[in-house]
Amino acid sequence: MALQWSHTIEGVDWEELSQLYRVAPLGYKKPEDLKIVFSNSRFTCFVSEAGRLVGVGRVLSDGLDCAYLCDVAVLPSHQGRGIGKAILRDLIERCRGHRKIILYAVPGKEPFYRKFGFRRMTTAMAIFESEARARELGVIDDT
Ligand SMILES: CC(C)(COP(=O)(O)OP(=O)(O)OC[C@H]1O[C@@H](n2cnc3c(N)ncnc32)[C@H](O)[C@@H]1OP(=O)(O)O)[C@@H](O)C(=O)NCCC(=O)NCCS
């Protein structure tokens, strides 16, 4: 079955997107929150098969210096078929010209990104709205 690619939020079913993240799994994201964050993203990528959303990703960017890649996910039934890599290639290509593309991975997923040239940063830091949740996810290093 052929995959359809879209780079616009037009026609996106936010409930369906929320469900994709839930089962991926990448946590629960409210449909109304997804509408806000995708509307405010510079680059978005939606992959569908037979009208069903199977993969997604997005990037925030300032157009020159810094781009932030996030929320890449593929439906479990479609994982391992190259869709995640294709989404990453697509978003990285559209970030061309930026001096850096930043992300933080779900622990364990670093090798997936390393293959694309992402390198571990020694001084990256973040303020989390819920530090406890970030700790639970294993993305805070207190050393
Ligand atoms: C991570 C994810 C997006 C990858 O998408 P996918 O469509 O399954 O990946 P692909 O089929 O394109 O293959 C990805 C490549 O990365 C590798 N890979 C995938 N997960 C990996 C992991 N945890 N560690 C190491 N390599 C991994 C695969 O072996 C494959 O490499 P290869 O082609 O050189 O053999 C998908 O598994 C997913 O949605 N996971 C749940 C949500 C998530 O964790 N998202 C990432 C947030 S940081």
Side-chain angles (χ1 to χ4, degrees):
M1 183 79 64
L3 298 174
Q4 293 86 45
W5 288 73
S6 167
H7 294 135
T8 149
I9 61 167
E10 224 168 280
V12 170
D13 178 339
W14 304 108
E15 293 279 350
E16 183 183 28
L17 181 57
S18 174
Q19 178 69 0
L20 189 158
Y21 281 125
R22 201 180 60 73
V23 300
L26 204 57
Y28 176 64
K29 299 173 190 286
K30 291 185 202 160
E32 58 270 32
D33 290 357
L34 288 170
K35 185 174 181 186
I36 293 171
V37 299
F38 272 80
S39 301
N40 289 324
S41 296
R42 188 178 186 97
F43 306 122
T44 58
C45 183
F46 302 93
V47 184
S48 305
E49 187 182 60
R52 180 182 180 211
L53 188 64
V54 298
V56 69
R58 67 185 180 96
V59 168
L60 298 172
S61 101
D62 60 19
L64 179 71
D65 185 33
C66 184
Y68 169 61
L69 185 143
C70 52
D71 291 347
V72 175
V74 173
L75 267 191
S77 55
H78 288 65
Q79 289 177 9
R81 286 170 36 178
I83 297 174
K85 283 202 296 194
I87 291 171
L88 222 53
R89 268 196 300 273
D90 175 89
L91 291 173
I92 291 170
E93 179 58 30
R94 289 155 74 206
C95 287
R96 196 184 281 275
H98 285 78
R99 295 190 181 111
K100 54 192 170 290
I101 306 170
I102 294 174
L103 65 79
Y104 73 92
V106 165
K109 293 287 154 59
E110 301 93 320
F112 172 63
Y113 295 105
R114 202 169 289 130
K115 287 180 189 165
F116 285 88
F118 285 94
R119 297 293 172 254
R120 192 179 285 280
M121 294 172 69
T122 53
T123 57
M125 299 178 90
I127 297 172
F128 291 94
E129 182 189 35
S130 172
E131 196 171 309
R133 176 76 184 130
R135 260 178 217 292
E136 222 174 84
L137 289 172
V139 297
I140 292 183
D141 178 354
D142 284 314
T143 55

